[in-house]
Amino acid sequence: MNAAIAQPAICSATGQVACSCCALRRFCAPPGLGLDPAALPAEVRRRRLRPGEYLYSRGAPQSSLYAVRAGFLKSCAPLSGGRSQVLAFHIMGDLLGLDALASGTHRSDAVALNACEVCEITLDQAERMMQERTALAAHMRSLLSGQVADALERMVALGTMSARQRVAGYILDLAGRWSGRGYSPNEFDLCMTRKEMGSYLGLTFETVSRMLSLFDAREWIAIDGRKVRIRDRAALQSLLAAA
Amino acid sequence: MNAAIAQPAICSATGQVACSCCALRRFCAPPGLGLDPAALPAEVRRRRLRPGEYLYSRGAPQSSLYAVRAGFLKSCAPLSGGRSQVLAFHIMGDLLGLDALASGTHRSDAVALNACEVCEITLDQAERMMQERTALAAHMRSLLSGQVADALERMVALGTMSARQRVAGYILDLAGRWSGRGYSPNEFDLCMTRKEMGSYLGLTFETVSRMLSLFDAREWIAIDGRKVRIRDRAALQSLLAAA
DNA sequence: CGGTATATTGACCGTATTCAATCTCGGTGG
DNA sequence: CCACCGAGATTGAATACGGTCAATATACCG
């Protein structure tokens, strides 16, 4: 559902090597050169984040684009009264910060849920590269358009689907994203609280918990805390098929 | 809520002149030249649509970008079982078709609700212009980023707001869009059925109807069919302020 | 060890959906 | 010209889904 990827990552023992499926790889690796994570262009900075640490906050001027190299982040929109809504979750290869291009300031908060490592490329640098190579500009347009398409898809989910459909759909979505990056398609870690998941899906955390318990009771999935194992994918999919 | 506009339109008697607030004006009017609607660049085609006519359909290969010159359109995502969800409504100056850049095929249907006139610029032509003038490419990125931001905002609405908040918010949103184009901020035509409005807001048409009746009874608005007049803007806004 | 954040589960309630009846308005054709 | 028809809209009543409130359990961390 998030930024399209071209090929699955080959993940090293550290679990960090994501360059081959990174949304920004064309900015990092000039075509013709091999993808050598060690030979990082000088313009790309690595940044580490502790759990709970902010990558950027709403209102801050945008200075960079970010790609997730390792870890798990959320972006969320602060609401009145201290509440906030989760807009997206980001895993390795995903891109952050593209909603700020138009206004020049970030429209959302980006927070690490994990120990994260992100690659950062400054906007200035990206602009310069796109001016020199118009193919890069076209690639950036494609990335942006993909984010529009993703957002529209999620609007459909929020506008038309029941609680159980949303939860089932999200599990399948996450599974697909992990498997697209070379991980098991049937077993993964949610990396988020029920509350965050509910906020993302437009549900309360109690409802999320109930749905997960329901799916577990019906032996469609197995849950242990935040670890999920899909036991009956077809059952989950048939939930979504129902209009 | 939709594509940002720079300045209000000065609308001629025909109600069609929208160039001064058109999202594509930088592609039409090379900077330095005045905005003369008569001196239309050869690359830009005008296209007229009858009510109900499709501008494009999901799955069709994308060949152009469109800007609305007059009339009212919706874009919607077809769902299983003949149902569909309205993703956006478009009025003059708005841009259509940007979600197809990544995949090369349209992800949604675009349908005229009105007699419409749109300006069409082919993708090829747009690409060529962006390669020649990188400032145009940056502008296009800004337009795309704006659409991302709009979609995220709408996700918040769908994920967190009650029925009455959604309807009130939508009325204010529409009013703002019309007034931004030089029309009355307090009196306008919905141009859509209750059903379409409900689909857009993630509600049933009965609920939409009830909310409109409620607002009318409380003298916050006056409704006559699809004509709306805002009588107590503060009341509507205070609905939204409540977390 | 206690304290806090997270999660599960139950009972109750309220909002929005569903189903249904009625009304209005336009368009068509007898 | 008017009767008829169908789409859209309004309104009511019953229902169900998800939210709210509350109690308890579990895990993590200082």
Side-chain angles (χ1 to χ4, degrees):
Chain A
M1 195 147 149
N2 244 281
I5 59 167
Q7 46 184 323
I10 300 165
C11 301
S12 79
T14 70
Q16 285 191 333
V17 178
C19 289
S20 67
C21 70
C22 172
L24 285 182
R25 71 188 174 289
R26 300 208 195 169
F27 287 85
C28 280
L33 267 70
L35 281 167
D36 181 0
L40 200 64
E43 302 81 19
V44 177
R45 287 256 179 80
R46 293 264 166 83
R47 186 165 154 194
R48 287 176 189 281
L49 297 170
R50 310 191 145 277
E53 195 175 344
Y54 278 61
L55 182 58
Y56 52 78
S57 300
R58 180 183 177 112
Q62 181 195 34
S63 61
S64 303
L65 301 176
Y66 305 92
V68 182
R69 188 166 150 72
F72 203 96
L73 300 94
K74 65 175 176 180
S75 31
C76 42
L79 301 175
S80 60
R83 306 190 56 84
S84 79
Q85 151 118 349
V86 175
L87 297 171
F89 294 106
H90 309 275
I91 65 175
M92 53 152 118
D94 287 344
L95 200 52
L96 280 95
L98 281 187
D99 62 334
L101 271 185
S103 62
T105 61
H106 288 289
R107 310 293 305 265
S108 53
D109 298 334
V111 189
L113 299 179
N114 244 343
C116 290
E117 188 172 329
V118 300
C119 288
E120 173 176 0
I121 181 172
T122 66
L123 259 192
D124 289 345
Q125 182 62 23
E127 300 266 1
R128 215 171 306 138
M129 292 173 77
M130 290 188 285
Q131 282 178 19
E132 286 166 12
R133 300 199 47 244
T134 57
L136 273 184
H139 180 240
M140 176 60 75
R141 284 195 294 279
S142 177
L143 290 173
L144 277 158
S145 170
Q147 299 227 331
V148 174
D150 288 346
L152 294 181
E153 223 174 279
R154 236 170 77 54
M155 280 176 21
V156 171
L158 287 172
T160 70
M161 286 164 57
S162 68
R164 67 181 61 182
Q165 286 178 316
R166 294 183 206 190
V167 174
Y170 183 58
I171 290 172
L172 292 173
D173 179 48
L174 258 189
R177 288 166 72 186
W178 283 121
S179 80
R181 283 155 179 79
Y183 291 95
S184 163
N186 291 321
E187 212 162 349
F188 55 91
D189 195 320
L190 289 173
C191 296
M192 70 195 73
T193 66
R194 304 286 190 263
K195 198 173 176 184
E196 286 163 333
M197 191 168 159
S199 170
Y200 178 72
L201 296 172
L203 302 169
T204 60
F205 68 91
E206 294 100 325
T207 300
V208 171
S209 181
R210 267 184 261 268
M211 292 301 123
L212 291 176
S213 297
L214 175 72
F215 295 169
D216 186 80
R218 295 194 181 171
E219 303 194 332
W220 294 348
I221 64 174
I223 334 175
D224 175 27
R226 299 185 186 175
K227 301 249 183 271
V228 178
R229 183 166 52 86
I230 296 177
R231 302 176 65 187
D232 187 350
R233 177 174 296 259
L236 296 174
Q237 283 166 334
S238 70
L239 256 191
L240 298 179
Chain B
M1 194 146 146
N2 244 279
I5 58 168
Q7 47 184 320
I10 301 167
C11 301
S12 78
T14 70
Q16 285 190 335
V17 178
C19 288
S20 67
C21 70
C22 172
L24 285 182
R25 71 188 172 288
R26 300 206 196 170
F27 287 84
C28 281
L33 268 68
L35 282 167
D36 182 0
L40 200 64
E43 302 81 20
V44 177
R45 288 256 178 82
R46 293 263 165 83
R47 186 163 154 193
R48 285 176 191 282
L49 298 170
R50 309 189 146 279
E53 196 176 343
Y54 278 61
L55 182 57
Y56 53 76
S57 300
R58 179 182 177 112
Q62 181 194 35
S63 60
S64 303
L65 301 176
Y66 305 92
V68 183
R69 190 167 149 70
F72 203 96
L73 300 96
K74 65 173 175 181
S75 31
C76 39
L79 302 175
S80 61
R83 307 189 57 86
S84 80
Q85 152 117 349
V86 175
L87 297 171
F89 294 106
H90 310 274
I91 66 175
M92 52 151 119
D94 287 344
L95 201 49
L96 280 95
L98 282 187
D99 61 335
L101 271 185
S103 62
T105 61
H106 288 290
R107 310 293 307 263
S108 53
D109 298 333
V111 189
L113 299 180
N114 244 344
C116 290
E117 189 172 327
V118 300
C119 288
E120 173 176 359
I121 181 172
T122 66
L123 259 192
D124 289 345
Q125 180 62 24
E127 300 265 3
R128 214 172 307 139
M129 293 173 76
M130 289 189 286
Q131 283 179 17
E132 287 166 11
R133 300 198 49 244
T134 56
L136 273 184
H139 181 239
M140 177 60 74
R141 285 196 293 278
S142 177
L143 290 174
L144 278 159
S145 170
Q147 298 227 334
V148 174
D150 287 346
L152 294 180
E153 222 175 279
R154 236 170 78 51
M155 282 175 18
V156 171
L158 287 172
T160 69
M161 285 164 59
S162 69
R164 66 184 60 186
Q165 285 177 314
R166 294 183 207 191
V167 173
Y170 183 58
I171 290 173
L172 292 173
D173 179 49
L174 257 190
R177 288 166 72 188
W178 283 120
S179 80
R181 284 154 180 79
Y183 291 95
S184 162
N186 291 321
E187 212 163 350
F188 56 91
D189 194 319
L190 289 173
C191 295
M192 70 196 71
T193 67
R194 304 286 190 265
K195 198 173 175 182
E196 287 163 332
M197 192 168 158
S199 170
Y200 177 72
L201 296 173
L203 302 169
T204 61
F205 68 92
E206 295 99 323
T207 301
V208 171
S209 181
R210 267 184 260 269
M211 291 304 122
L212 292 176
S213 296
L214 175 72
F215 295 170
D216 186 80
R218 296 194 181 171
E219 303 193 332
W220 294 348
I221 65 173
I223 333 175
D224 176 27
R226 300 185 186 175
K227 301 250 183 274
V228 179
R229 183 166 52 86
I230 296 176
R231 301 176 66 187
D232 188 349
R233 176 174 297 260
L236 296 174
Q237 283 165 334
S238 71
L239 256 189
L240 298 179

